[in-house]
């Protein structure tokens, strides 16, 4: 067996790149120890430990190899040509040309792909995963590499067969030539092998605690993007005046409310190269607890954030994901997810993971403690992924005309739904409620038409009218089809009421606290509605107009209202206003 190996990958640095192993046996398969074995003019030495003749050679791709074995005065010869190139190894979840390392998880099926060589009719691939320190074969089980037909170009390695640490992927292509006159089954095997390192990680989920009063931990309040907040008192008590108003340095994002603080981002200024700012405000009076922290400048002003386990996670347009200590704003870690930017969806954090959607179908799950990629999946349509919507058993992502569900801990694709048309651009996040996924699908033939999918199967079960994210209480769904806000009974799918507001259109997606829906308008007016009537039960005014900021693909920080820790917090222009809903 003559194996050609790329320089420096599997062997120490040396002039040779081709180990040769020749076994010579008699008719009873007993080793013959006194043969003369010559490969390309070099005589090999017999190794009693392996019972083979071994040596190191130097061969170039495309060159030929000649073997002669002389036993008892009889010489047997064989020749074969090396392959022109070495396999190029790719890995899933990383499908582009590989960097020096990739990251796998013990909790998912990890995929190896390869290309870059022209197989022959008798050739096959040999694939395995090794411990680079000991040379132990970790996958497949046993002592031999996995044989793969020359027509195939990928294998799947179960994560359960691996352990955490640095591992070595080995992929080779081999071919066999007959040796005339030798015993049947004899042959000359040549192979071209390549390898690459992979880091295997083990992630243990950290369940997110349930606070007594619900917090607003991300875009549209909760990981399910359902826009639903609860209060210890059950129903809100709407105040006559606001608790506080704070003016910040630029237009303000949706608020995240947790740990007694309100966390917001503000837009950057592209003309001056000023990055976005991250603030933490005291929720009781709006004073600055820490910040502003200026985020590094990126090619667009987009940035978004989420909270879990005492940390604030921000993502910017260039794919820079950063974890901050929520108590003091100190950076815990910062990682750039990929070299190509165009990230435009908010992160979602839950159970020790941060989920981030990428620009070309990527869905990342990041360890909150370390910033390491636990898994990375690719949506079948490879469209720009929306802010991930997370339930107890799934991570849902939406792109125009498409929706997908992945396993939260492994990244395995559970289902994919193609819409009736094809489309591009960024997807608007889905809303998970009542075991259904609701999303305003931008590829539907009727503008503003949304789709409803069964969360377990991905099959479409209905549609709705709305051009903003809907919000849900236990019995009622609230939908905004600008300029009209509607309440729909979920059991009967009948409209309970509608409120057309053409003179002062609603600009924000509705949110729900208790049984009440809250939405803001272009003039800065904030409405609250009960489930049974379009008569507003409460109104208030923000200091500035409330702009609609895109829920997917916005070049600026996304907007939206939130309720957390008993406070309704509304961004309007450069201002942030809070109303206390619990006496």
């Amino acid at each position: 067996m003559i194996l050609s190996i790329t320089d420096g990958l599997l062997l120490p640095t040396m002039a040779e790149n081709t180990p040769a192993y020749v076994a010579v046996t008699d008719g009873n398969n007993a080793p013959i120890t006194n043969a003369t074995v010559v490969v390309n003019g070099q005589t090999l030495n017999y190794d009693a430990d392996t019972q083979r003749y071994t040596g190191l050679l130097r061969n170039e791709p495309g060159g030929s190899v000649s073997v002669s074995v002389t036993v008892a005065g009889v010489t047997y010869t064989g020749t074969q040509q090396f392959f022109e190139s070495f396999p190029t190894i790719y890995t899933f979840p990383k499908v582009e040309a590989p960097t020096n390392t990739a990251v796998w998880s013990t909790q998912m099926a990890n995929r190896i792909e390869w290309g870059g060589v022209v197989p022959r009719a008798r050739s096959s691939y040999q694939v395995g995963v090794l411990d680079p320190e000991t040379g132990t074969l970790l996958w497949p089980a046993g002592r031999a590499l996995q044989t793969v037909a020359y027509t195939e170009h990928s294998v799947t390695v179960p994560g359960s067969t691996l352990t955490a640490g640095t591992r070595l992927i080995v992929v080779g292509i081999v071919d066999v030539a007959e040796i005339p006159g030798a015993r049947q089954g004899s042959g000359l095997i040549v192979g071209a092998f390549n390898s690459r390192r992979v880091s295997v990680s083990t992630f243990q989920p950290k369940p997110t605690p349930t606070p007594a009063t619900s917090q607003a931990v991300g875009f549209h309040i909760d990981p399910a993007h359902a826009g639903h907040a609860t209060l210890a008192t059950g129903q809100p008590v709407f105040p006559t005046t606001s608790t506080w108003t704070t003016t910040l340095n630029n237009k303000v994002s949706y608020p995240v409310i947790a740990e007694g603080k309100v966390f917001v981002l503000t837009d950057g200024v592209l003309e001056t190269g000023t990055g976005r700012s991250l603030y933490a405000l005291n929720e009781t009076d709006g004073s600055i607890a820490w910040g502003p922290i200026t985020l590094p400048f990126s090619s667009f002003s987009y940035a978004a954030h989420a909270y879990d386990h005492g940390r604030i996670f921000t993502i910017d347009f260039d794919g820079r994901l950063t974890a901050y200590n929520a108590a003091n704003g100190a950076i815990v870690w910062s990682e750039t997810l990929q070299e190509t930017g165009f990230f435009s969806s908010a992160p979602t954090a839950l159970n020790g993971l941060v989920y981030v959607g990428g620009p070309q179908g990527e869905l990342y799950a990041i360890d909150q403690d370390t910033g390491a990629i636990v898994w990375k999946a690719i949506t079948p349509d490879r469209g720009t992924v929306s802010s991930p919507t997370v339930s107890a058993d799934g991570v849902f992502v939406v792109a125009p005309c498409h929706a997908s569900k992945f396993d939260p801990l492994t990244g395995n694709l559970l289902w994919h739904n193609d819409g009736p048309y094809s489309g591009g651009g960024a997807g608007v996040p889905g809303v998970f409620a009542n075991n259904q996924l609701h999303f305003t699908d931008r590829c539907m033939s009727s503008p503003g038409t949304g789709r409803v999918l069964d969360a377990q199967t991905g099959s479409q079960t209905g549609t709705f009218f709305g051009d903003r994210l809907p919000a849900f209480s236990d019995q009622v769904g609230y939908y905004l089809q600008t300029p009209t806000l509607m309440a729909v009974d979920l059991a009967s799918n009948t409209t309970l009421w509608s409120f057309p507001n053409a003179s002062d259109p609603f600009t924000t997606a509705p949110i729900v606290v208790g049984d009440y829906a809250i939405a803001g308008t272009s003039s800065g007016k904030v409405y609250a509605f009960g489930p049974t009537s379009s008569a507003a039960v409460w109104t208030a005014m923000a200091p500035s107009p409330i702009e609609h900021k895109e829920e997917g693909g916005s070049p600026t920080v996304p907007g939206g209202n939130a309720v957390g820790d008993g406070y309704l917090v509304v961004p309007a222009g450069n201002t942030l206003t809070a109303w206390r809903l619990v006496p």
Side-chain angles (χ1 to χ4, degrees):
M1 180 180 294
I2 317 297
L3 305 178
S4 185
I5 301 172
T6 51
D7 293 340
L9 289 175
L10 296 177
L11 295 175
T13 301
M14 57 180 67
E16 296 82 0
N17 68 350
T18 305
Y21 310 98
V22 178
V24 184
T25 60
D26 61 20
N28 296 317
N29 286 325
I32 298 175
T33 62
N34 59 351
T36 300
V37 179
V38 180
V39 178
N40 281 6
Q42 179 176 324
T43 301
L44 305 190
N45 297 315
Y46 183 74
D47 181 0
D49 291 335
T50 62
Q51 297 183 340
R52 295 184 299 185
Y53 295 83
T54 65
L56 287 173
L57 315 172
R58 180 73 194 183
N59 284 289
E60 300 300 329
S64 63
V65 60
S66 175
V67 175
S68 72
V69 178
T70 302
V71 179
V74 179
T75 300
Y76 306 88
T77 62
T79 60
Q80 180 65 289
Q81 186 178 18
F82 280 112
F83 289 89
E84 295 287 342
S85 58
F86 299 98
T88 300
I89 302 174
Y90 304 86
T91 63
F92 186 86
K94 198 171 183 62
V95 297
E96 67 271 15
T99 57
N100 290 331
T101 60
V103 178
W104 278 1
S105 171
T106 58
Q107 295 174 287
M108 69 178 292
N110 303 284
R111 188 175 178 84
I112 304 173
E113 298 179 0
W114 58 85
V117 290
V118 178
R120 304 166 187 168
R122 294 178 301 182
S123 61
S124 62
Y125 293 105
Q126 301 288 313
V127 187
V129 181
L130 307 176
D131 182 328
E133 299 298 326
T134 65
T136 304
L137 184 62
L138 303 176
W139 179 89
R143 302 181 62 183
L145 297 177
Q146 180 80 33
T147 298
V148 181
Y150 75 91
T151 55
E152 302 294 326
H153 293 87
S154 67
V155 294
T156 298
V157 180
S160 59
T161 65
L162 304 174
T163 55
T166 299
R167 302 294 176 243
L168 199 68
I169 301 168
V170 177
V171 177
I173 185 169
V174 299
D175 195 9
V176 181
E178 295 181 358
I179 298 180
R183 185 161 53 93
Q184 185 176 6
S186 300
L188 170 60
I189 302 174
V190 299
F193 278 74
N194 202 346
S195 69
R196 66 170 298 195
R197 292 182 182 271
V198 61
S199 176
V200 179
S201 66
T202 300
F203 173 77
Q204 295 298 326
K206 294 168 52 180
T208 297
T210 302
T213 301
S214 71
Q215 301 169 332
V217 295
F219 182 69
H220 214 42
I221 297 182
D222 56 330
H225 297 326
H228 188 190
T230 59
L231 302 174
T233 55
Q235 300 299 333
V237 176
F238 293 102
T240 56
T241 60
S242 63
T243 304
W244 52 262
T245 293
T246 297
T247 301
L248 303 179
N249 64 6
N250 210 332
K251 292 182 179 180
V252 183
S253 72
Y254 62 87
V256 166
I257 309 169
E259 292 193 10
K261 298 181 180 68
V262 179
F263 303 93
V264 291
L265 292 161
T266 59
D267 274 340
V269 181
L270 295 180
E271 293 76 10
T272 61
T274 304
R276 289 68 25 91
S277 298
L278 173 63
Y279 286 86
L281 310 178
N282 292 305
E283 67 181 23
T284 56
D285 59 11
S287 60
I288 296 176
W290 52 258
I293 295 173
T294 301
L295 276 63
F297 182 74
S298 68
S299 39
F300 276 89
S301 188
Y302 180 85
H305 60 316
Y307 167 88
D308 193 28
H309 285 293
R311 292 178 179 173
I312 293 292
F313 305 94
T314 65
I315 186 73
D316 66 16
F317 185 82
D318 292 336
R320 189 184 296 108
L321 181 66
T322 304
Y324 298 87
N325 186 315
N328 55 27
I331 292 179
V332 181
W333 51 259
S334 186
E335 299 288 343
T336 298
L337 297 184
Q338 61 187 49
E339 295 178 1
T340 304
F342 304 98
F343 282 72
S344 57
S345 67
T348 305
L350 186 69
N351 295 333
L353 289 170
V354 186
Y355 301 98
V356 180
Q360 296 178 330
E362 306 91 347
L363 174 61
Y364 296 86
I366 310 297
D367 189 326
Q368 293 181 6
D369 288 335
T370 65
I373 298 173
V374 174
W375 55 260
K376 176 186 171 185
I378 306 292
T379 59
D381 59 280
R382 295 180 179 265
T384 300
V385 172
S386 68
S387 175
T389 300
V390 184
S391 69
D393 68 347
V395 181
F396 305 87
V397 291
V398 174
C401 312
H402 306 279
S404 303
K405 180 182 181 181
F406 296 85
D407 186 284
L409 292 181
T410 68
N412 291 330
L413 180 65
L414 301 178
W415 55 251
H416 177 73
N417 180 286
D418 285 320
Y421 307 97
S422 62
V428 175
V431 171
F432 174 81
N434 304 308
N435 206 33
Q436 294 178 315
L437 183 71
H438 306 70
F439 60 102
T440 56
D441 197 339
R442 289 175 169 173
C443 86
M444 294 292 282
S445 57
S446 301
T449 300
R451 291 201 288 146
V452 183
L453 306 183
D454 184 289
Q456 295 303 311
T457 66
S459 60
Q460 184 166 327
T461 58
T463 60
F464 65 90
F465 285 100
D467 52 18
R468 302 287 188 272
L469 272 68
F472 297 90
S473 67
D474 293 337
Q475 289 83 33
V476 179
Y478 296 92
Y479 305 90
L480 175 57
Q481 175 66 48
T482 307
T484 302
L485 182 67
M486 296 168 285
V488 175
D489 180 83
L490 297 176
S492 63
N493 199 33
T494 57
T495 300
L496 300 172
W497 55 260
S498 63
F499 185 85
N501 201 18
S503 61
D504 185 20
F506 292 104
T507 53
T508 62
I511 61 173
V512 172
V513 54
D515 292 328
Y516 294 86
I518 296 172
T521 71
S522 60
S523 70
K525 194 170 186 178
V526 182
Y527 287 85
F529 298 93
T532 59
S533 172
S534 62
V537 298
W538 177 76
T539 59
M541 285 296 296
S544 303
I546 301 173
E547 298 179 70
H548 167 58
K549 294 186 176 183
E550 280 288 305
E551 292 150 351
S554 171
T556 63
V557 295
N561 308 323
V563 172
D565 289 349
Y567 289 89
L568 166 65
V569 182
V570 175
N574 291 25
T575 67
L576 201 65
T577 301
W579 288 266
R580 179 70 173 165
L581 301 184
V582 177

